[in-house]
Amino acid sequence: MTALCFQLKGRPEQRLDLSPLVPARLDGLNRKEIEGLSVATTREAVTVGDVFKVKGRDVQNLHFIGTDNRCDKIGAGLTGGDIVVEGDAGMLLGARMKTGKIAVHGSAGVLAGASMTGGEIAVRRDAGDQAGGVAFGETFGMKGGFIAIGGDAGDLVGERLRRGLIVVGGNAGDYAGGRMIAGTILLQGGAGRYAGYGNRRGSLIFADKPRHLLPTYVDSGVMEFDYLRLLETWLRGQGLRIRLGGRARRLVGDMAVLGKGEMLILS
Amino acid sequence: MDSTLQRAAELLSQARLPVFGGLFTDVKGAAAALSLARKLGGVVDHAASEGTSRAARVMRETGATPASFGEVRNRADTIVVIGNMPRTRDPKLLDKLFPARATLPRPGDNKRELIVVGAKKGKVPSGVRVTEIGGKNALPELVALLAAAVREGPFDIRDSALAKRILSAGERLRNSAFAVFVYDPAELDEPVLHTVLEAVRHLVKTTRAATLSLSAPGNGEGVNLCSTWTCGLPVRTSFAGDVPENSIWAYEAGRLLRSNEADALVWIDALDGEEATPPTRSFRGVPAVVLSSRPVKAGRDDVVIEVGAAAADHDAAVYLPQIAGIGMVKATAANSKRPTVAEVLSRIEALIDAKGAA
């Protein structure tokens, strides 16, 4: 069966709520019923058929083509299946998702993977603020799974991260790993100011020495970490070739809060 | 007047997503705006919601331990003022917090002390001991350093004089009978607010501690409370869907206007002595209905309605920081003929209803 494709007809006049377009909700619907689903975020009615050309049948394989930054909540609450976005995604991409895979060829908006509990999100270009952050009404950020951002990440990447792994290929904004509780963030291109602010037990891994270091992190020397080798192997399995080696300078903090988190600066 | 209201009703009933911004108004005005926004599937946002939204998010996530102004003035023995905004917003703040004459009995027998973080100590009431925690470090770092000192954690700075002051401030806070952190949520980033609360949470294991968060200008707290008791959510809420939806990012009025997602603006600026900063210069770009107690520059197609200023032209229920609640303020010019925001919005709503019925 060919993937179920949603091709955007043109820039929508309003933001679109695409949270109904996940396998669990589409399963058992015929083409007409799918085209009749509402994706409006204003009082002006907009259905799938109004803004998308729909093709294909396989609801477990969804393709969004030509989408832009107004296409919100793609794959939100996903409970299985594959989603490919050939374009950009708006806010809350894969927010609260449990399992499944989302691949975005362009950029994602704010709160990508917010409060997700499992599954994978890969964004080829940039992600907005609070990737893996706290979704509305939640008390934790990402609670499991994997987010790979090829380009830059905005502020507060991994905000209040509970579990899981985030890899940023480019630069991260301010407060990277802000208030993270646990979990791991790998920053290949450095970060803005206040990285690891309020970090409790999480690990921030820097490929290079960051330009700004919080004074509430304390140096505890260069050490060998078998964990880094395991991570490198695991990432290779995901198709990401990132050289981590086994040695890193370890800083412990944030002493302003619990102080059991760490920054590993690869050497 | 009637034709102006008719034009406003016309403009709003055609809008796809009208945004109600400014909202510098009393509780009745806010309630009327919320009612109309619900009818039209619009968005409500307050011009000073940057700080209140952040504070609401913090409250929702972890809770907070606020103290009232009177409690801080009468009972706190150590007051930590964070940043410049508290004293910019209220230049007499320190005189109010440190009255010359003792008021009520205080817990403990420490002399009262002030700790200023990330700002110059400035003019301080005589007889009050002050510790200044400032220097090259940015405000978020200074807050983190003080929080680390509170929990006796290590930190790493070169400025040894500052380090000494931070350590002694941390010790003083641990030995306080009642320490209070004073800040404006609009000045502190969200993670910084959380670190302040972490320090409070650490202190309350052994002593008493609390926060005093400065209220937003323009009755921001009052409007926020009104929104919360109306629909369960603070401002930056959209009524377009079946259930109201709150999003600090998506439903910020300025962003909605810049991105052209909103196609009509209702701008409300009608509080005595305060002025809301418009999101776009003279409301260009989006058709607007402007309810203002002041002369405004508006576009040719905009509908401008002159209204009375709350608490000047009519009695008004607004949030009063000194009582940390909503109270009635008597009008100073009670014989004014100008209509209230609530009256104008209700009449617009009635006109829209009549159109819908016709």
Side-chain angles (χ1 to χ4, degrees):
Chain A
M1 271 197 300
T2 54
L4 182 58
C5 292
F6 298 94
Q7 186 170 6
L8 195 67
K9 289 175 180 169
R11 182 158 172 82
E13 288 191 322
Q14 53 176 288
R15 300 194 78 82
L16 304 176
D17 174 2
L18 303 183
S19 58
L21 305 185
V22 286
R25 299 271 294 276
L26 296 173
D27 200 15
L29 300 186
N30 63 32
R31 176 73 52 83
K32 207 158 181 200
E33 286 165 330
I34 291 173
E35 284 178 344
L37 290 170
S38 169
V39 289
T41 59
T42 72
R43 61 173 165 160
E44 193 176 270
V46 173
T47 62
V48 170
D50 293 336
V51 283
F52 289 108
K53 217 161 109 186
V54 185
K55 277 188 299 193
R57 309 180 65 86
D58 184 5
V59 294
Q60 294 301 322
N61 270 303
L62 304 179
H63 275 234
F64 291 91
I65 300 164
T67 48
D68 67 7
N69 59 10
R70 283 188 175 177
C71 297
D72 294 337
K73 302 182 190 174
I74 294 177
L78 191 67
T79 52
D82 273 16
I83 296 180
V84 176
V85 181
E86 293 174 26
D88 292 337
M91 64 169 178
L92 290 163
L93 168 81
R96 294 191 179 95
M97 71 185 272
K98 292 192 175 76
T99 54
K101 272 187 178 179
I102 302 176
V104 178
H105 293 180
S107 296
V110 300
L111 288 162
S115 300
M116 69 190 271
T117 56
E120 282 172 36
I121 296 179
V123 178
R124 202 175 281 174
R125 294 174 65 182
D126 305 335
D129 293 344
Q130 293 167 284
V134 184
F136 181 85
E138 300 282 341
T139 53
F140 294 115
M142 177 178 176
K143 281 179 269 192
F146 176 43
I147 300 178
I149 299 161
D152 297 341
D155 295 341
L156 276 166
V157 57
E159 172 197 34
R160 211 161 160 76
L161 180 69
R162 181 77 184 79
R163 199 176 294 128
L165 172 65
I166 302 177
V167 176
V168 182
N171 293 303
D174 294 342
Y175 295 104
R179 300 173 55 235
M180 64 196 283
I181 300 164
T184 306
I185 304 177
L186 170 55
L187 301 165
Q188 290 181 265
R193 305 180 78 182
Y194 321 125
Y197 199 95
N199 177 5
R200 301 179 80 82
R201 257 180 255 98
S203 300
L204 274 168
I205 306 172
F206 285 92
D208 297 299
K209 189 174 185 300
R211 280 187 29 230
H212 309 276
L213 273 179
L214 273 179
T216 45
Y217 276 76
V218 205
D219 198 341
S220 63
V222 177
M223 286 178 246
E224 288 284 327
F225 293 92
D226 284 338
Y227 161 74
L228 288 175
R229 295 200 178 88
L230 291 172
L231 181 61
E232 187 176 325
T233 313
W234 187 84
L235 285 169
R236 203 177 305 136
Q238 302 295 311
L240 288 172
R241 288 190 166 273
I242 302 170
R243 172 110 187 88
L244 297 178
R247 284 172 74 76
R249 176 170 292 280
R250 183 174 190 250
L251 290 98
V252 183
D254 180 352
M255 293 301 168
V257 292
L258 193 64
K260 291 183 178 174
E262 62 181 2
M263 277 190 206
L264 303 182
I265 302 166
L266 304 180
S267 53
Chain B
M1 184 71 177
D2 281 344
S3 71
T4 318
L5 292 180
Q6 197 68 52
R7 268 177 60 215
E10 195 79 34
L11 193 157
L12 291 178
S13 54
Q14 282 165 9
R16 185 193 312 124
L17 186 67
V19 51
F20 290 71
L23 290 184
F24 271 42
T25 177
D26 62 344
V27 167
K28 265 191 180 166
L34 280 155
S35 164
L36 190 52
R38 267 167 100 167
K39 179 150 290 165
L40 297 171
V43 170
V44 285
D45 187 13
H46 187 271
S49 60
E50 195 58 40
T52 48
S53 313
R54 221 176 273 165
R57 232 172 87 100
V58 170
M59 180 64 99
R60 198 160 59 214
E61 245 182 71
T62 63
T65 46
S68 72
F69 196 91
E71 188 70 354
V72 178
R73 180 190 55 203
N74 294 330
R75 298 199 190 276
D77 58 351
T78 308
I79 296 177
V80 186
V81 174
I82 302 170
N84 285 307
M85 282 312 280
R87 282 176 298 164
T88 310
R89 293 271 314 282
D90 183 357
K92 292 226 169 86
L93 181 73
L94 293 183
D95 298 316
K96 290 183 199 162
L97 288 174
F98 293 94
R101 277 192 312 140
T103 41
L104 293 169
R106 274 191 292 113
D109 36 46
N110 292 328
K111 277 196 75 171
R112 300 193 82 195
E113 194 171 322
L114 172 69
I115 299 170
V116 180
V117 181
K120 289 267 172 284
K121 68 178 182 191
K123 218 171 142 259
V124 174
S126 60
V128 178
R129 208 186 130 192
V130 196
T131 309
E132 202 180 279
I133 294 179
K136 282 188 184 143
N137 295 81
L139 184 59
E141 290 178 348
L142 293 169
V143 171
L145 286 165
L146 182 61
V150 163
R151 54 171 61 233
E152 296 175 85
F155 53 81
D156 185 9
I157 50 169
R158 285 218 189 108
D159 185 344
S160 58
L162 174 62
K164 224 169 137 188
R165 284 201 300 278
I166 290 170
L167 286 173
S168 82
E171 195 183 347
R172 161 78 197 199
L173 284 165
R174 284 194 303 277
N175 295 329
S176 296
F178 181 24
V180 177
F181 295 80
V182 182
Y183 57 82
D184 179 356
E187 189 181 13
L188 302 186
D189 294 327
E190 208 181 298
V192 182
L193 288 175
H194 280 288
T195 290
V196 173
L197 286 170
E198 281 285 338
V200 170
R201 264 179 234 128
H202 185 78
L203 287 171
V204 295
K205 287 176 189 165
T206 53
T207 179
R208 188 180 173 201
T211 57
L212 177 66
S213 172
L214 257 73
S215 59
N219 192 27
E221 250 75 19
V223 172
N224 220 26
L225 285 168
C226 180
S227 174
T228 310
W229 77 60
T230 306
C231 67
L233 297 168
V235 293
R236 299 199 182 178
T237 286
S238 164
F239 293 99
D242 298 334
V243 287
E245 188 185 53
N246 180 278
S247 169
I248 291 182
W249 181 81
Y251 302 126
E252 193 245 311
R255 195 201 67 78
L256 285 168
L257 295 170
R258 279 191 303 276
S259 65
N260 287 321
E261 285 165 30
D263 57 353
L265 168 68
V266 180
W267 185 255
I268 299 167
D269 181 11
L271 267 186
D272 187 32
E274 293 187 273
E275 191 170 355
T277 319
T280 51
R281 247 187 305 143
S282 57
F283 314 104
R284 261 173 299 191
V286 159
V289 177
V290 183
L291 276 64
S292 179
S293 55
R294 256 177 296 276
V296 285
K297 262 197 212 157
R300 204 189 312 152
D301 299 327
D302 294 342
V303 182
V304 179
I305 302 165
E306 199 192 349
V307 290
D313 295 312
H314 58 90
D315 297 354
V318 290
Y319 184 86
L320 303 171
Q322 62 271 33
I323 61 162
I326 288 168
M328 226 33 205
V329 181
K330 283 270 172 221
T332 47
N335 54 358
S336 165
K337 292 272 187 317
R338 300 196 288 181
T340 67
V341 168
E343 282 160 12
V344 170
L345 291 178
S346 317
R347 283 176 66 186
I348 293 175
E349 190 170 341
L351 287 170
I352 291 171
D353 282 346
K355 255 157 88 98

